[in-house]
Structure formats: C-alpha cells, structure tokens
Amino acid sequence: MDMKKLYISIAVLSLCGLPAMAQETYENTKLVDNDLNGTARYVGMGGAMEALGADISTMGTNPAGIGLFRKSKVDMSFGLVSQQDATKFNSLGKTNASFDQIGFVYMLNKTSNSVFNIGFNYHKSRNFDQILSAANTLDNASQNKLTYQKYRKGIFTDKKSMTYNQIDNLYMENLLYNNKDKKYYNFPATGYLYNEENKGYIGEYDFNMSGNINNRVYLGLTVGLHDVHYRNYSEYTENFAPNRDNIPGLTLNDNREITGTGYDVKFGAVFRPFDASAFRLGVYIHTPTWYDLTTSNYSTMTDGNVAKPTNESYDFRIDTPWKFGLSLGHTINNFIALGATYEYADYGAISTRIKDGGYYDSWSGSYYENSHRDKAMNAHTEATLKGVHTLKLGAEVKVMPELAVRVGYNYLSAMFNENGAKNGTVASPGSYYASSTSFVNWKATNRLTCGLGYTAKNFNIDLAYQYSAQKGDFYPFMNYYESNTSSPEDNIATMTKVNNKRHQLLLTLGYRF
C-alpha cells in the first residue's frame, strides 16, 4: 500500500472487558528474526552446515546433522559483539561480551551400519544489544499532532476503543487541552531526536535425538525451548515551532520489557543419494514457536513539568511462522567441505493471539487457558511483513591435517514491506498497550564470515569473525493524510536512514570423547 494513500482508520472496536492482550506487529518481529550464532565453525562457514552435519549448532537447524557424529563431543562458545558507528547510550556501550553456546552430543549406540545419538545445546538465538539513533527536521508535523487528528476523528469518544495508545493518553491529559478556552490544540515541531537502547537475548535450549540407517539416511528430531529477555529504553525529543503557550518542546521516555517462554519442534533428514559419493542432501521443517509472554512499560513525558507516568503490564501469545529448509553438502577427500542452504519463512503469517483467561479443572487438577486470534492485528501483520528468503554458503579447507580455514556468506531478504507502518489506529489491544510510535523498516541483511580451526588430539579450538550489515528507514510516527490533496491537517513524518553494522568475534573450545 502506498504511504501517500495510507489514511488513519477510525474504526473502533468496543470490548466488553479487558482480558490479557495481544501484541503489535513491529514488536513481534523482535522475537522471530534469529541471528547467525552458535559454534565458531558453524558461524565461520556462514551457517551452511545443514547437510554437512557433525556440528552441534545444526541441532537447532537440521536435527539430522547430529546423526553424523561418530564420537561424543562437548563444545562451549563465547566472544565479543561490537556495533559499528554507535555511541554509548544510557547503560549500553558499543562493544559487549557474550556467552553464545554450550552443548554436547553423546553416542548411545554404534554399529558398523548405524548410530543413535542424543544431544543438548544452548545457544543465544537472538542478541538484542543495539543502540539506535535518528534525528531529522519536521515540517508542520509532530507526534502529538497525530494524537490530535485521532481526537478530531472522534476516536477518543469511546473509552473502550483500542484505536489509541498510551502516548495518546499522555498527550490528551497533559498537553493538548487548553484550560483557558476549554479546547484542544496541537503543537507542530521543527525537528526530532531519537535515541534507543535495546538489551537482552533469546536463549534457545535444544534437546535432540538422531541417528542413521546404513550410513545413507540420517534422521533427527529436536525439541526447542525459548527463553525471552528483552529490555528497551528510548528517549524521543521534539522541538516545537513557536506556539501560543510558549512551550519549546518535550521529551518522552519509555521503558519496555518483554519476558516469557516458547517451544517448537524441528524435524530433519540428510540423504546420501550415491553410495560411492560423499554428496549429501538435507531437508528440514520447523514448527512455529508458540510463545507465551508478558510485556510491561513505564513511560513519562516532560515539557518542563513532568507529567504523571503511564505504566501497564499484560500477557499475550505469538505463534511464529513455519520454516522450511533445503541444503546441499559435499566433502572432497576429507580435505575440502562445501555447503549451501536455503530457508524460507512467511513472516506475514505471524499470529498474535488474545488470551481470554482460563479455568481450573478440579477433576484433573490442571489449569487451562483459552485464546483467540487477533484478526485486526494479524491483518496488519500480513500487509506489513512478507516472506523471508535465507541463503547460506560456506567452505572449509584443511591447509594442514590439524588446521582448517573457513569462509562463509549469509543473506536474509527484507522482512518488511517498503511501505509498511506501525499503525496506531488498528482496532487491537496491541495498539492500545503500545507506548511508542516509532518504527524501522529494516532491509536485507548481509553477513560475511571467516574462521580458523585447530585440532590437537581430542581437543579443538575454533575462531570465527562475522560482519553483519543492515540498512533501514526510521520513522518517528506513521503518516496521516487528511485527503487526496495536500492539506495543513496532514502530518507527514520525515524519514531518517539508519543502519545496524555489527562485528562479532567468537571462540569455541571443544573436546571429543
């Protein structure tokens, strides 16, 4: 949908009560976009090991890769992550230590034609640490003018409406109303400054069973538990144009936290089509991750006088999309390893769910919760997000029997439609509980990797470097158009180009037994 034709909806959803709620599209995306992380060998090869296997990190992608282990093994990985072009903000610096992975594979049974392995692996599937800054001019526009236009359209007349948010409430109660003439006004701004700190991680705990049949067919199953710890602090400042109340501007401070757990199941297979060849074909499927989460915020506004803060907490559910993968792998004389992987997931199919409450079954002694799909927010998600294609390429060359050199490339296509916007007028609890109007339409991600591996008897030490680059378009708020022609009532946000460039140095220590 063209942004110039994006009008504020004035649909109002009247609810009879306020049960635990769903979430907003842009907040949901923070929980579904995984990093390239794991062992240094896996990262150094761009993650293209789903058909090659025999690496603990494949437990979380293609579970059948664990079936290629011929010995038991334990790995532990840690390192540094540094954000390029960033300046320390609040409590977060540009370079931070990270504990990234620990896991093992244990061989339960081995015969000449088959093996059966079990394994466990923890890895940090998402590192939220990021500083985001943006600044630009504004022309007859402001965040509070968007709230004012909602007021003009009558959205605030129904107190049970879900088409306004906590920021709107702050503006309506502390800025827009004039006590002298008992009327509402808006305050256009000349410019804005935005700074944001994201911290935390998603930890994934994978439990795996795998094996092979006649060294030709490898099968695997992984059950994953996901542990979410996300924290965000932002400061948004606007400088107002000259106004009747002589208010120079204001600053909004927002603290948001998301915590909770989820689970998924992964199925995978690796085939050797030709008995005399090391060529392998891998396929795998991931179910959605079914998340049960809690979010809370604490938001304040000041224009010289600190307004009464707003804070809310609620529970919600998210179902991520299915993921499908196809991979190729080949080794040459135990000297060269080549891998390629393609993945697809339709992020427009992310489902937010409203929790209706639950009931206690006295007969079984169990507590059950019910939920239903948030149709309005899911429609917005489908229009805003799209399918993501992932391409992984990797190569490993043993320059000596003990020393390996690795290179890789990893590409993710853009998740956001170019004209997507955080729409605070979607008739959804996700809109009502939002405490920020800003959003970024991130574009494709390109990752370049390289690494070294050294083996001494049963020990191995691996080092990897990863450079990740992603560009995005930052908007302080959604656009509002009064009509098809230009109007003083229009509220057009000025877009700012932003980027997220990261460097990662990763070390893995391993032991075979």
Side-chain angles (χ1 to χ4, degrees):
M1 180 169 56
D2 189 344
M3 285 291 286
K4 292 185 178 180
K5 294 182 179 179
L6 179 61
Y7 303 106
I8 287 186
S9 168
I10 60 172
V12 174
L13 177 65
S14 297
L15 301 181
C16 296
L18 293 178
M21 300 304 179
Q23 180 70 323
E24 189 273 332
T25 296
Y26 280 80
E27 293 295 326
N28 288 346
T29 61
K30 295 178 172 64
L31 306 175
V32 299
D33 188 14
N34 292 341
D35 297 329
L36 172 61
N37 202 17
T39 66
R41 184 180 181 223
Y42 182 80
V43 172
M45 293 185 66
M49 298 194 66
E50 282 72 30
L52 291 170
D55 188 279
I56 286 180
S57 287
T58 62
M59 192 180 302
T61 53
N62 186 351
I66 303 303
L68 281 90
F69 274 95
R70 289 294 180 267
K71 289 185 178 181
S72 300
K73 193 175 192 299
V74 60
D75 277 329
M76 180 175 65
S77 306
F78 51 90
L80 297 172
V81 177
S82 181
Q83 184 180 347
Q84 185 176 319
D85 304 325
T87 302
K88 181 180 179 180
F89 173 66
N90 199 37
S91 63
L92 185 64
K94 64 182 295 182
T95 302
N96 301 280
S98 179
F99 182 79
D100 297 287
Q101 177 272 331
I102 186 168
F104 71 88
V105 173
Y106 183 73
M107 184 174 295
L108 282 178
N109 180 57
K110 178 181 179 181
T111 67
S112 59
N113 295 321
S114 65
V115 299
F116 181 73
N117 299 330
I118 61 170
F120 165 80
N121 187 47
Y122 160 83
H123 81 282
K124 187 178 290 184
S125 64
R126 185 70 190 270
N127 186 338
F128 291 119
D129 291 356
Q130 182 190 7
I131 298 167
L132 178 65
S133 300
N136 218 319
T137 60
L138 288 170
D139 183 14
N140 192 35
S142 65
Q143 188 183 63
N144 72 82
K145 188 177 179 181
L146 183 61
T147 299
Y148 175 76
Q149 300 299 6
K150 291 184 181 182
Y151 162 74
R152 287 182 61 240
K153 295 298 183 179
I155 287 178
F156 292 98
T157 59
D158 186 342
K159 296 303 182 181
K160 295 180 180 180
S161 168
M162 295 284 110
T163 53
Y164 62 94
N165 56 42
Q166 296 175 64
I167 300 302
D168 294 326
N169 285 332
L170 282 174
Y171 280 132
M172 290 295 288
E173 294 177 4
N174 299 285
L175 180 68
L176 303 187
Y177 185 70
N178 187 286
N179 286 316
K180 294 180 180 179
D181 58 13
K182 311 301 181 183
K183 294 181 180 180
Y184 287 94
Y185 298 90
N186 69 87
F187 296 80
T190 59
Y192 68 84
L193 173 65
Y194 182 83
N195 287 292
E196 176 183 83
E197 167 196 83
N198 294 287
K199 297 177 68 175
Y201 63 94
I202 298 178
E204 185 172 342
Y205 303 82
D206 288 328
F207 302 85
N208 175 271
M209 297 185 299
S210 59
N212 77 69
I213 303 171
N214 296 324
N215 293 321
R216 295 285 299 277
V217 178
Y218 304 82
L219 303 173
L221 169 70
T222 295
V223 176
L225 303 178
H226 304 253
D227 187 23
V228 178
H229 301 269
Y230 171 77
R231 298 185 303 279
N232 171 276
Y233 172 74
S234 65
E235 294 179 359
Y236 176 71
T237 299
E238 286 184 339
N239 298 316
F240 290 166
N243 56 79
R244 56 181 290 174
D245 294 333
N246 295 317
I247 300 177
L250 59 76
T251 297
L252 281 164
N253 301 321
D254 182 48
N255 291 272
R256 179 163 292 279
E257 182 174 337
I258 302 175
T259 58
T261 58
Y263 67 95
D264 67 354
V265 182
K266 309 173 183 75
F267 307 91
V270 174
F271 306 95
R272 286 181 52 229
F274 314 107
D275 187 39
S277 173
F279 175 76
R280 301 164 196 167
L281 173 67
V283 293
Y284 54 93
I285 298 174
H286 298 183
T287 70
T289 301
W290 294 285
Y291 278 117
D292 195 341
L293 303 163
T294 298
T295 186
S296 60
N297 81 288
Y298 183 86
S299 307
T300 60
M301 182 184 78
T302 176
D303 58 357
N305 299 310
V306 179
K308 180 182 178 181
T310 177
N311 61 288
E312 295 284 352
S313 178
Y314 64 96
D315 300 328
F316 61 100
R317 287 183 174 176
I318 300 173
D319 299 342
T320 70
W322 289 79
K323 181 181 290 186
F324 306 91
L326 174 67
S327 54
L328 305 174
H330 188 56
T331 58
I332 303 174
N333 296 328
N334 201 32
F335 169 67
I336 297 176
L338 303 172
T341 298
Y342 169 78
E343 291 180 354
Y344 178 78
D346 181 9
Y347 286 89
I350 295 172
S351 176
T352 59
R353 301 189 66 86
I354 297 174
K355 296 175 68 173
D356 302 314
Y359 63 93
Y360 181 79
D361 187 340
S362 58
W363 178 263
S364 64
S366 300
Y367 180 78
Y368 299 94
E369 282 190 328
N370 297 318
S371 65
H372 68 276
R373 289 170 53 85
D374 184 347
K375 293 182 179 179
M377 188 58 69
N378 288 342
H380 177 261
T381 299
E382 185 177 3
T384 304
L385 306 183
K386 57 185 178 181
V388 171
H389 307 270
T390 302
L391 176 65
K392 308 177 186 180
L393 301 173
E396 177 184 71
V397 178
K398 288 190 176 180
V399 296
M400 297 182 350
E402 302 86 4
L403 181 65
V405 177
R406 302 164 185 137
V407 294
Y409 173 67
N410 187 288
Y411 169 83
L412 276 76
S413 65
M415 180 191 306
F416 298 92
N417 286 313
E418 184 176 351
N419 296 321
K422 178 183 284 188
N423 189 343
T425 65
V426 174
S428 163
S431 298
Y432 177 78
Y433 282 93
S435 56
S436 173
T437 62
S438 64
F439 61 94
V440 182
N441 286 335
W442 290 107
K443 302 183 184 299
T445 302
N446 288 275
R447 298 168 176 145
L448 299 175
T449 67
C450 61
L452 297 172
Y454 183 78
T455 302
K457 294 184 179 180
N458 292 336
F459 292 91
N460 67 276
I461 180 169
D462 299 277
L463 184 67
Y465 166 76
Q466 176 184 181
Y467 172 70
S468 174
Q470 186 180 32
K471 297 179 180 179
D473 297 335
F474 172 88
Y475 294 86
F477 42 82
M478 68 174 288
N479 290 343
Y480 170 84
Y481 293 87
E482 180 72 9
S483 62
N484 288 324
T485 60
S486 178
S487 167
E489 298 295 344
D490 292 347
N491 194 53
I492 313 303
T494 307
M495 182 268 289
T496 301
K497 296 288 186 181
V498 294
N499 65 70
N500 183 20
K501 299 178 180 179
R502 299 207 302 181
H503 304 267
Q504 180 187 23
L505 194 62
L506 185 65
L507 179 69
T508 296
L509 303 176
Y511 178 73
R512 292 180 176 84
F513 57 96

